[in-house]
Amino acid sequence: MTRHEQDFAADAFTLKRRNANGGTKPLKGWGFRNETDPLTDVLLGSPAFLRHMATSSLSRKHLREAPSNIQVAQAQHKELVAAYEHFGVRIHWHEPEPELPMQVYSRDSSVMTPYGAIITAMANWWRRGENYAAIRTYERLGIPIYDMVTAGTFEGGDFNVIEEGCVLIGCGGARTQEEGARQVEDWFRKEGWETRLAFIDEYYVHIDLMVVPIAPKLTAVCLACTEPEIVDWLKSKGHEIIDVPFQHTMNLGCNFMSLGKDRIIAPTSSKTLIDKLRATGFEVAAVDMSEISKTGGGIHCMAQALLRSPD
């Protein structure tokens, strides 16, 4: 068997890991049960080749009015990396490529699950290479691929694990199509998960712009732009809601990263959320993301949790 044939066979084996009837065994050494257990390993993308492109209505608005200063954006990303290092999180990197100017948003091209990685299907043609690069990254890290989205576009910011065995899936139509969202939903229903689809206006890009878990049964939500039915659903599951003001949300203030054990990395623009969390004893690393976020996303968009260890 040639090396190429060996690689193909190994890839085929990896892709068959998902049991079509559900009941897939969780991985050992990678993955997570929820978005609030202690984060030990994270996947980031380098901003080395970052460009400000028209990926969403928000990024187009900034392009018209005040385009991102890329050098400042790159310096801000270094501060974000320093925050992860401060909290002892191991950082893994996508290999930077000049053809992938938006690869800094590592949440979009894949989704980590308890069972392995999902390779998504990017909407913008200039970002589709990120999906192939993600396959190489997971292969290098030795992380199995659970499956690949094929039914329509689907991006990782629309996969929101609210708590163990429960996922909120966003669908705005532009970046994540209903066909892609329902394909992913079907996989997790077969795994025995509770699923909920949230149909959002495409202006808000992904569901993690407006709903992000902070800690067990504590969730940040922009009440001004989240459907009341979603809020009621979260409350019915016993979640306390911290409201993030609309203007802060539009500055990616609800797009933060929970590190577990009452630790958060959040943008300085999210003053209301930061003040509320610090008042209740959270340790918050506030990072200025004002320039890099103009290019299309926030702190949560720039990180893919690879491993969270239960307390």
Side-chain angles (χ1 to χ4, degrees):
M1 181 180 289
T2 67
R3 173 65 183 274
H4 176 75
E5 290 170 335
Q6 289 173 343
D7 289 345
F8 181 85
D11 290 344
F13 176 81
T14 299
L15 289 171
K16 288 179 180 177
R17 178 178 176 81
R18 182 175 68 83
N19 185 337
N21 297 317
T24 308
K25 292 182 179 179
L27 298 178
K28 293 182 179 179
W30 298 107
F32 53 83
R33 304 179 309 167
N34 54 56
E35 292 270 14
T36 57
D37 277 344
L39 179 68
T40 63
D41 292 74
V42 69
L43 176 61
L44 302 182
S46 169
F49 300 107
L50 179 66
R51 298 204 311 268
H52 190 167
M53 304 179 74
T55 57
S56 68
S57 55
L58 291 173
S59 63
R60 286 193 293 272
K61 178 178 184 292
H62 289 301
L63 270 174
R64 290 193 305 269
E65 299 174 358
S68 174
N69 182 317
I70 297 300
Q71 288 185 324
V72 173
Q74 290 167 334
Q76 290 176 347
H77 193 267
K78 286 183 179 179
E79 293 300 314
L80 176 61
V81 171
Y84 283 111
E85 292 173 340
H86 167 74
F87 287 114
V89 178
R90 287 184 292 270
I91 299 173
H92 306 266
W93 292 91
H94 285 302
E95 194 69 33
E97 300 181 40
E99 297 83 5
L100 303 177
M102 304 299 291
Q103 197 175 26
V104 69
Y105 296 111
S106 58
R107 173 78 50 167
D108 291 340
S109 57
S110 65
V111 169
M112 192 61 186
T113 79
Y115 318 110
I118 292 172
I119 303 302
T120 63
M122 304 291 284
N124 298 133
W125 66 263
W126 59 85
R127 297 196 64 188
R128 290 173 190 158
E130 294 175 41
N131 292 132
Y132 309 128
I135 295 171
R136 291 196 295 267
T137 297
Y138 288 112
E139 181 181 30
R140 171 167 47 85
L141 294 174
I143 298 174
I145 292 172
Y146 175 72
D147 216 319
M148 299 184 181
V149 178
T150 57
T153 63
F154 183 86
E155 299 186 350
D158 280 316
F159 188 87
N160 205 334
V161 180
I162 296 302
E163 57 189 41
E164 184 174 1
C166 178
V167 62
L168 177 64
I169 298 173
C171 180
R175 299 280 288 273
T176 289
Q177 297 171 324
E178 183 175 350
E179 293 84 354
R182 291 203 180 276
Q183 182 180 32
V184 174
E185 180 188 38
D186 182 61
W187 295 340
F188 283 84
R189 281 184 172 175
K190 288 177 179 176
E191 297 291 358
W193 286 45
E194 178 184 356
T195 65
R196 177 80 184 228
L197 253 61
F199 291 92
I200 62 176
D201 191 288
E202 67 180 67
Y203 178 75
Y204 301 117
V205 188
H206 295 138
I207 192 65
D208 70 347
L209 184 140
M210 61 184 75
V211 179
V212 174
I214 303 169
K217 301 296 184 181
L218 180 65
T219 301
V221 179
C222 177
L223 296 177
C225 61
T226 304
E227 290 292 331
E229 291 81 3
I230 298 298
V231 178
D232 291 343
W233 175 70
L234 289 168
K235 289 180 177 179
S236 74
K237 300 180 73 61
H239 285 241
E240 179 184 350
I241 303 298
I242 294 184
D243 183 23
V244 179
F246 179 79
Q247 193 55 52
H248 291 185
T249 298
M250 292 301 97
N251 290 324
L252 286 303
C254 198
N255 195 268
F256 57 87
M257 193 71 171
S258 172
L259 306 184
K261 295 184 177 178
D262 295 345
R263 301 168 301 159
I264 299 288
I265 302 177
T268 54
S269 62
S270 194
K271 190 174 185 304
T272 298
L273 177 66
I274 290 170
D275 289 348
K276 287 181 179 179
L277 291 179
R278 284 177 173 167
T280 56
F282 278 77
E283 182 179 359
V284 181
V287 182
D288 182 4
M289 306 298 288
S290 55
E291 285 301 312
I292 194 167
S293 286
K294 288 180 180 180
T295 65
I299 290 172
H300 196 259
C301 300
M302 297 179 199
Q304 186 66 248
L306 295 179
L307 178 61
R308 290 182 182 271
S309 296
D311 293 328

